[in-house]
Amino acid sequence: MIDRGPIVTCFAIGFLMTSIQACYAQATPPTPSPPQASSAPPPPPTPIPFDDALLRAANDLFSKATVPAGSDKVELVIDPLIDAATGAQSAATRLMQERIKDLVAKSYPRFAVLPFSSEALSRAPVVLIGTFTAINNAGAPDGVRDAYRICLALADLRSKIIVSKGVARAKPDGVKADPTPAFADAPIWSNDPAIAVYIKTCQGTKPGDPIDPLYVERIATSAFVSDAILEYDDKRYREALAFYRTARQMSGGDQLRVHSGIYLSSWKLNRRTDATEAFGSLVKYGLVANKLSVRLLFKPGTTQFLDDQNITGPYPMWLSQIATQAMQNDSCVDVVGHTSNTGPAQINERLSVLRAQFIKDLLQSASPSLADRLKAVGVGSRESIVGTGRDDASDAIDRRVDFNVHRC
């Protein structure tokens, strides 16, 4: 499918000075040069099979955890693990959680795993957080993402300290990174401060560091969001909507996955007016951040949407809301097409431009007065978010259209 110690040389004046220096040089042993530091960077860690990598990271995490001495149980909750590139939960992150629970029950009986709930959080437990991220193992910014980095951390809510870390790198073989339904169905991706603080708390800390206060402040909200996601994934959309709406009213509840969940649940319940209003709020959330990424699925190698009405049915409403919000924003918008990093770069560049132009034309049809404020741009696969090139649900966000807002 078509859709990287210094040597100082002195010159003596006159014969006598030269002779003295020559004699001195013969009588004085040379001073050895200090050893030169190697400029070569250390080799990257070698990725190992997924199961082994997870076991290594988890064993490091629990065996090195700084917990109170004694035999009392250490209460533990798991704040759902995420893909750090997209902020989504996936089949892989869900599997990691189950494997970790099994490992704790078998090998670390000092820890007692509790549900991720408001009641459990009120007891100030230790919280396990973690990220699972596709990377280029050699560290090449434009290289193919050929490994996954596992990062696990234990955050003690009582002491407000990170008490342990565990990291490892996994081979991509056999990894199922498809997002779970609430994330696979999400129409919009944008930078989300709630996700950013979670990632920072995991990846940007070391044992002994304080927990980011924003993470602590919003963790109760995260528990309601987690309940909402699980209800949605189990197709209990009425219950999901109730949890999402409750979360929205809580501290830090104004976040992407909450707005997205309200829209998705309303759409699934055939509440079209509520869904349209929720999608407008979702668009506004992204435009305030000056960048809105929309999952618009095209037929392979074309500028036409998929024929599946279950997927593309709401697209006219999406584009209408984007046009409306762009008009109210009173800014200019670059419509930027993207592709995944498979296939020839030249063809991907061309395809991304054509898709951006197609969306630009649709927006102009919805709001003709937008014409002078829209520009179609294609970047091919140069700005991949996931970058694995799998061309499946796991990297669907790489085949997206961005709406970048700027001053005219």
Side-chain angles (χ1 to χ4, degrees):
M1 172 179 169
I2 297 176
D3 237 326
R4 273 173 243 260
I7 299 173
V8 180
T9 303
C10 299
F11 294 91
I13 300 176
F15 175 80
L16 179 59
M17 182 62 72
T18 302
S19 300
I20 292 172
Q21 287 184 337
C23 180
Y24 180 80
Q26 293 175 5
T28 306
T31 302
S33 299
Q36 298 296 310
S38 173
S39 58
T46 300
I48 58 179
F50 170 77
D51 289 343
D52 297 336
L54 177 59
L55 194 61
R56 174 182 294 180
N59 276 321
D60 278 351
L61 183 78
F62 290 107
S63 65
K64 299 176 181 178
T66 304
V67 294
S71 58
D72 292 343
K73 290 285 187 179
V74 177
E75 295 180 330
L76 173 74
V77 300
I78 299 177
D79 190 345
L81 280 60
I82 62 171
D83 180 320
T86 65
Q89 297 174 34
S90 69
T93 64
R94 291 271 176 91
L95 177 61
M96 291 167 69
Q97 290 175 205
E98 294 307 311
R99 296 274 176 85
I100 289 170
K101 289 179 184 177
D102 291 343
L103 177 67
V104 169
K106 177 182 177 182
S107 302
Y108 298 97
R110 179 84 191 278
F111 290 88
V113 180
L114 304 178
F116 185 48
S117 66
S118 298
E119 192 280 330
L121 291 171
S122 70
R123 300 162 66 90
V126 173
V127 181
L128 189 153
I129 58 178
T131 58
F132 186 66
T133 316
I135 62 168
N136 177 266
N137 194 55
D142 299 325
V144 174
R145 315 290 167 85
D146 55 0
Y148 284 93
R149 182 176 59 226
I150 296 172
C151 172
L152 304 176
L154 290 180
D156 186 350
L157 293 186
R158 194 173 300 278
S159 66
K160 306 294 193 298
I161 295 293
I162 301 296
V163 295
S164 191
K165 294 286 293 285
V167 297
R169 292 193 182 187
K171 294 179 178 179
D173 307 332
V175 172
K176 295 182 179 179
D178 291 9
T180 58
F183 295 95
D185 293 349
I188 282 174
W189 182 90
S190 182
N191 292 322
D192 189 341
I195 296 299
V197 75
Y198 181 104
I199 295 170
K200 176 186 173 184
T201 302
C202 183
Q203 297 185 358
T205 59
K206 61 184 184 299
D209 284 350
I211 308 171
D212 191 303
L214 276 179
Y215 176 78
V216 177
E217 177 187 326
R218 298 175 179 179
I219 192 170
T221 304
S222 296
F224 275 87
V225 175
S226 177
D227 285 337
I229 290 169
L230 292 174
E231 295 289 356
Y232 183 91
D233 289 354
D234 286 339
K235 300 183 179 181
R236 292 191 290 267
Y237 304 121
R238 195 179 306 277
E239 291 82 355
L241 183 59
F243 277 119
Y244 279 125
R245 284 177 168 170
T246 299
R248 185 177 59 182
Q249 303 304 317
M250 298 175 68
S251 174
D254 181 19
Q255 52 181 276
L256 180 69
R257 55 188 180 169
V258 171
H259 290 292
S260 179
I262 291 173
Y263 159 70
L264 290 172
S265 300
S266 298
W267 185 267
K268 293 289 189 180
L269 292 168
N270 290 312
R271 300 180 181 180
R272 295 297 187 249
T273 300
D274 290 347
T276 300
E277 180 182 345
F279 190 84
S281 297
L282 190 53
V283 172
K284 187 181 297 184
Y285 183 95
L287 292 180
V288 166
N290 295 328
K291 185 167 187 176
L292 179 72
S293 298
V294 183
R295 288 185 174 95
L296 295 167
L297 301 185
F298 297 84
K299 296 178 184 178
T302 76
T303 60
Q304 299 301 309
F305 294 137
L306 293 177
D307 291 329
D308 188 344
Q309 276 294 304
N310 290 326
I311 295 174
T312 62
Y315 285 9
M317 182 272 284
W318 291 7
L319 293 172
S320 175
Q321 283 295 311
I322 290 169
T324 299
Q325 295 295 334
M327 284 292 299
Q328 294 176 357
N329 192 274
D330 199 26
S331 297
C332 286
V333 179
D334 290 342
V335 183
V336 186
H338 299 261
T339 69
S340 60
N341 60 1
T342 54
Q346 275 188 319
I347 295 179
N348 282 337
E349 290 276 346
R350 181 175 183 275
L351 182 59
S352 66
V353 172
L354 292 175
R355 286 177 173 175
Q357 184 64 49
F358 176 68
I359 298 302
K360 175 178 177 289
D361 292 343
L362 291 177
L363 289 175
Q364 288 178 196
S365 297
S367 295
S369 56
L370 269 177
D372 293 338
R373 293 199 269 137
L374 297 174
K375 177 183 177 182
V377 181
V379 297
S381 62
R382 288 181 280 116
E383 296 179 7
S384 295
I385 293 174
V386 178
T388 55
R390 290 188 172 189
D391 281 340
D392 58 18
S394 69
D395 62 349
I397 193 63
D398 287 345
R399 302 179 297 282
R400 68 191 185 278
V401 177
D402 285 346
F403 299 87
N404 297 342
V405 182
H406 57 89
R407 295 178 63 88
C408 295

